[in-house]
Amino acid sequence: FAADHSPAAPAIDPLYADYLSDCYHALLENWEYDYMALQGLNAVIFQDFLSQQAYSGISALEALGYCLHDVNADGIQELLIGKTGAPNEIFNIISIADGNLIMPFEGWERNLCFICADGTVVTRGSGGAAITYYTYYKFDGADPDAPWFISTDDDKDIMNDSPASEAQALGLIQQYENQYISFDLKPLSKAGDL
């Protein structure tokens, strides 16, 4: 018998294994959207693929896949979740920092990413028929305490934006949420009475 010299598959970190188990059960058992989101899963994508399986005949468990890949060449394997088939449309990049799962990228049906051979991550997004954008970046070991960026322009280039902590970003979001106006919207069913 010839010796098998193929490299052994990398061991899956228990945090990734638990996450993948949740992914599997969410798709197999058709979890509710809110429950998926509470478990930290990409509920938008999972619900989309679950609804597609009804008319496509392709199981969401077959249409979505995962692999480990060291995206930024730092020796830490990231967990990628995406659409099977080539080129892989990646919806989630998941990593581990300080013993916790973090998600540097979470996409949806109109926002996904591709991983290039040189380590470049390309995100392709759409805000409608008239707006499509591509963003090219590399994970460079940026400060995990400042994962947000505050932008005052619309060029989608974070290189000229200001890094911000999650607390700063959420504080700014809350500042504007507190100013939302509530309107007395009447149900459209009442429009027939006009």
Side-chain angles (χ1 to χ4, degrees), residues 5 8-9 15 22 25-26 33 54 57 67 71 107-108 142 157 159 178 180 182:
H5 295 289
L15 289 171
D22 283 348
H25 287 285
Y33 180 95
C67 72
V71 175
W108 55 93
D157 178 7
M159 298 309 288
N178 291 337
Y180 290 177
S182 293

Side-chain angles (χ1 to χ4, degrees), residues 16 20 65-71 77-82 90-94 113 115 139:
Y16 289 157
L20 289 170
Y66 71 93
C67 72
L68 296 176
H69 179 77
D70 185 359
V71 175
Q77 297 284 317
E78 280 76 35
L79 175 62
L80 308 180
I81 306 285
I90 304 299
F91 300 113
N92 293 86
I93 299 174
I94 302 159
C113 77
I115 311 295
F139 292 120

Side-chain angles (χ1 to χ4, degrees), residues 161-177:
D161 299 335
S162 303
S165 70
E166 185 162 356
Q168 289 172 311
L170 295 177
L172 185 61
I173 292 167
Q174 186 67 48
Q175 174 185 336
Y176 284 97
E177 286 179 348

Side-chain angles (χ1 to χ4, degrees), residues 117-152:
D118 70 354
T120 300
V121 176
V122 179
T123 62
R124 181 181 71 200
S126 174
I131 302 170
T132 298
Y133 63 87
Y134 287 81
T135 307
Y136 303 84
Y137 60 95
K138 293 190 183 220
F139 292 120
D140 60 1
D143 182 358
D145 294 325
W148 294 74
F149 291 87
I150 297 176
S151 177
T152 56

Side-chain angles (χ1 to χ4, degrees), residues 12-53:
I12 294 182
D13 186 283
L15 289 171
Y16 289 157
D18 288 346
Y19 185 86
L20 289 170
S21 176
D22 283 348
C23 292
Y24 173 81
H25 287 285
L27 295 172
L28 181 70
E29 299 163 12
N30 197 4
W31 288 359
E32 293 291 324
Y33 180 95
D34 290 339
Y35 187 68
M36 284 186 204
L38 282 172
Q39 299 306 309
L41 304 180
N42 191 331
V44 172
I45 289 299
F46 283 17
Q47 285 292 313
D48 186 46
F49 276 83
L50 283 168
S51 65
Q52 287 179 30
Q53 77 183 1

